[in-house]
Amino acid sequence: MKIVTKLSILLITLFCISSMAHAQDRPGEGSVGLSASIQHSQTNLQIPIWLTDNVTIAPVFGISHQEDAFTSLNVGVAPRFYQDLGNDFGSYIGARGIIQHTSNDVNDNDETDILLGATGGGEYFLDHHFSLGVEGQLNFFINDGGGSSLSTGAAVIGTYYF
């Protein structure tokens, strides 16, 4: 009898944990969030705004300062177009455009660089306030001093919706 009781308690506990982990819903039209990502040397924050049920636009802001060396200010926009959108998961394609202005403290050679990119990924909505996502990127970096580059990237993104 003890085995049956312990097994029942274990099954009920697992059921409760799995139901809490199951996604509830995605944010609705007009919702605003704050996103941060885990990515190599990432310093930007995004503020995704749901324009429609399938389109978000996210202003991008970032600042990086190294004492006695430089200060960089990033400003841009990153729209996303959701292709497949359920209650708890959405896959998307998107774009990114960022202007990066760097002021050098060592010399007077300020630079303004441009990053243009294509993105694609998926986002899992844990509830209507929080989501986790994975994003692949193809970036074209136009350097003000010459030497433009093409690169790929990946990011894990967490977003909190207000």
Side-chain angles (χ1 to χ4, degrees), residues 1 13 24 28 33 35 38 40 46 54 69 72 74 76 79 86-87 94 101 129 131 139 145 157:
M1 201 63 167
T13 304
Q24 300 298 314
S35 295
I38 300 172
H40 176 60
Q46 295 184 26
N54 295 332
S72 291
N74 299 335
N87 285 336
H101 180 75
H129 287 294
S131 71
N139 297 314
I157 302 169

Side-chain angles (χ1 to χ4, degrees), residues 15-154:
F15 176 75
C16 289
I17 289 172
S18 66
S19 67
M20 286 187 296
H22 182 67
Q24 300 298 314
D25 205 358
R26 61 183 174 84
E29 185 177 327
S31 295
V32 177
L34 180 63
S35 295
S37 65
I38 300 172
Q39 186 176 8
H40 176 60
S41 69
Q42 175 70 21
T43 59
N44 296 332
L45 296 174
Q46 295 184 26
I47 303 171
I49 303 165
W50 284 82
L51 298 178
T52 69
D53 287 340
N54 295 332
V55 178
T56 65
I57 189 162
V60 178
F61 304 99
I63 189 166
S64 177
H65 174 73
Q66 185 173 348
E67 189 173 346
D68 297 329
F70 67 89
T71 301
S72 291
L73 177 64
N74 299 335
V75 178
V77 65
R80 287 183 183 169
F81 305 95
Y82 286 84
Q83 303 302 305
D84 182 27
L85 198 56
N87 285 336
D88 57 352
F89 180 79
S91 60
Y92 63 86
I93 57 172
R96 174 175 312 181
I98 297 175
I99 297 173
Q100 179 182 42
H101 180 75
T102 304
S103 299
N104 290 313
D105 296 342
V106 178
N107 55 34
D108 292 333
N109 293 338
D110 292 357
E111 291 185 0
T112 302
D113 304 324
I114 298 173
L115 180 130
L116 301 173
T119 62
E123 192 170 8
Y124 184 74
F125 301 97
L126 298 168
D127 64 26
H128 63 276
H129 287 294
F130 191 73
S131 71
L132 292 174
V134 177
E135 181 176 272
Q137 304 167 348
L138 178 62
N139 297 314
F140 183 63
F141 188 72
I142 304 167
N143 192 328
D144 193 22
S148 300
S149 63
L150 182 67
S151 65
T152 58

